[in-house]
Amino acid sequence: MVDCKHLFQEFHPGRFLVFASLLVFGVLLSFKLEGVLDCSYWVVFAPLWLWKLIMIAGCIFGIRSYILQQDIVHEMGTVADFQAMLLSTSLQMLLLSFEACLCYKLTTDPSSGAEAEGHMNWYLVFMPLFLLSVLSIIICGWGWKKERPLDLELLFSVNMLQFVLLVLRIEGIVLWSYQIILIPLWILLGICSIAVIYYIALTAVLLCTNDILPSLRTPRTAASCLYSLANFSLILFLGLLVTKIDNPEAESHSFIAIFLPYHLGMGSLVVSTFYQKGGNPWWFGIREEFCLFLLKKFPAIRVYGNISYIYGYSTQETAIPVDVPITNTSDSKNSLPKVTFSNVELPD
């Protein structure tokens, strides 16, 4: 069953923007590393620039709406949402600083002597990430106090050690292989795998009982499959990438082939955003759920967003035999043929 109405209601626009940007960025980066795409790294990072630009614009419009409508803010009780938007934007700015420094470092020719003069070393490149990790720890404490969901904040807060090890390895202070350097990331992916397996087991138990509504069976099943596919695809991608980096002279897969599991994992996460209800109502000052705002601005979408499709039935099941007599008595209900109809909800 495909319920378009449910997909609209459970859509998470923020995560969709993040995962879609990372997906396009991965495609461009694989082509760049393989030599197929001859352009600057500033062009390769364009999807990430677009992601940050949209987030900053959304924050500016949200601040404007907050200032102009103070009475509505206190009535709605969304001060915590506004504060969360500001904190999230500060994280995005630090992440943008790191990406800009990284692009500058990658586009600088080592033979030009810029690195020897100390204009930009890897410590300075990763400095925004160190600040980002510290700020993420503070935001996580605030989020747990306010009982708010944590996404990027939790990810960056637990990866501070990983950033330190990467800097030490790139600068040549430690000469360990990247399989050892990425141990914190391996541990994080292992924890995610355990969480995914637990979610799949819980979904299987709920599907075997009557404790879950029929309308939630398909979303839970789809989310379980998508999360498991994304997790194991990213583990495979990281393993292939580490093998390629540790053995650059050995014959191995091309970067395009190595990034295929990454594309599959990010594609699964993009689809999973249609099963993750949430989002901050203060982005762009809409002050309501994204689905409701979209339906108000574009009423024609209601025709497509309020329809449920049921498939998988053969024509033999839906056909009514013509040789069966139909009587008018109430006792003949059990003798009538059983017909399976597919219900289609009418648009609002």
Side-chain angles (χ1 to χ4, degrees):
M1 178 179 177
V2 178
D3 192 351
C4 295
K5 181 179 179 180
H6 179 82
L7 294 180
F8 273 98
Q9 291 177 345
E10 302 297 323
F11 178 63
H12 197 300
R15 294 179 182 176
F16 177 84
L17 175 63
V18 173
F19 295 144
S21 302
L22 292 175
L23 175 61
V24 179
F25 168 72
V27 174
L28 296 177
L29 182 61
S30 62
F31 288 162
K32 172 65 176 178
L33 295 177
E34 194 61 27
V36 178
L37 188 63
D38 186 13
C39 63
S40 173
Y41 277 102
W42 296 98
V43 179
V44 175
F45 278 70
L48 303 184
W49 308 136
L50 180 62
W51 160 20
K52 306 305 185 303
L53 180 62
I54 294 176
M55 299 290 284
I56 294 174
C59 180
I60 293 175
F61 282 102
I63 294 175
R64 177 181 176 275
S65 178
Y66 181 85
I67 295 175
L68 296 178
Q69 301 181 5
Q70 288 287 337
D71 298 335
I72 299 178
V73 171
H74 295 288
E75 292 178 1
M76 295 173 58
T78 57
V79 178
D81 293 331
F82 179 76
Q83 295 173 353
M85 182 191 67
L86 296 180
L87 293 175
S88 178
T89 305
S90 62
L91 294 181
Q92 305 294 334
M93 296 297 294
L94 287 175
L95 189 57
L96 177 62
S97 302
F98 164 72
E99 294 166 357
C101 294
L102 182 60
C103 280
Y104 175 78
K105 181 67 176 179
L106 294 176
T107 54
T108 302
D109 187 6
S111 61
S112 62
E115 184 177 0
E117 296 175 1
H119 290 174
M120 177 69 72
N121 55 35
W122 287 105
Y123 296 108
L124 294 178
V125 172
F126 276 80
M127 186 58 65
L129 283 186
F130 299 147
L131 298 177
L132 180 61
S133 299
V134 175
L135 181 60
S136 297
I137 295 175
I138 299 175
I139 295 177
C140 285
W142 175 85
W144 286 328
K145 182 180 180 180
K146 298 293 184 178
E147 297 182 353
R148 295 192 57 84
L150 302 172
D151 296 324
L152 292 177
E153 299 86 356
L154 186 60
L155 177 63
F156 286 112
S157 62
V158 299
N159 276 320
M160 179 182 292
L161 178 60
Q162 182 64 83
F163 300 146
V164 174
L165 292 176
L166 282 175
V167 174
L168 295 178
R169 178 63 178 85
I170 296 174
E171 286 290 341
I173 299 178
V174 295
L175 301 178
W176 302 334
S177 66
Y178 278 94
Q179 292 181 353
I180 300 177
I181 292 295
L182 297 179
I183 284 180
L185 190 55
W186 293 119
I187 296 176
L188 179 61
L189 290 175
I191 296 175
C192 293
S193 301
I194 297 175
V196 168
I197 294 174
Y198 173 78
Y199 186 81
I200 294 175
L202 179 62
T203 302
V205 171
L206 291 177
L207 290 177
C208 295
T209 61
N210 296 326
D211 296 336
I212 183 172
L213 297 176
S215 59
L216 299 179
R217 292 179 181 270
T218 301
R220 275 191 169 273
T221 305
S224 301
C225 297
L226 292 171
Y227 290 153
S228 59
L229 180 61
N231 183 75
F232 295 115
S233 297
L234 293 178
I235 292 177
L236 177 59
F237 159 71
L238 189 60
L240 294 175
L241 183 62
V242 167
T243 304
K244 178 77 172 181
I245 296 176
D246 285 337
N247 303 286
E249 300 179 356
E251 295 183 0
S252 59
H253 302 286
S254 63
F255 281 104
I256 296 178
I258 291 175
F259 271 79
L260 288 179
Y262 174 86
H263 304 332
L264 181 61
M266 283 299 160
S268 302
L269 292 177
V270 169
V271 178
S272 68
T273 57
F274 291 92
Y275 300 97
Q276 303 175 9
K277 186 176 181 179
N280 196 319
W282 280 107
W283 290 109
F284 290 95
I286 60 177
R287 304 187 310 278
E288 58 185 349
E289 293 185 4
F290 179 76
C291 174
L292 298 178
F293 173 79
L294 194 64
L295 293 178
K296 289 180 180 179
K297 294 296 181 180
F298 305 98
I301 303 180
R302 299 180 183 180
V303 179
Y304 304 97
N306 197 27
I307 298 177
S308 301
Y309 304 93
I310 301 178
Y311 55 89
Y313 296 98
S314 63
T315 56
Q316 295 179 356
E317 293 177 345
T318 58
I320 301 178
V322 297
D323 56 346
V324 177
I326 300 178
T327 60
N328 294 327
T329 59
S330 59
D331 298 335
S332 61
K333 293 182 179 180
N334 297 329
S335 62
L336 292 177
K338 296 182 179 180
V339 182
T340 304
F341 293 92
S342 61
N343 297 325
V344 180
E345 300 178 9
L346 296 177
D348 295 336

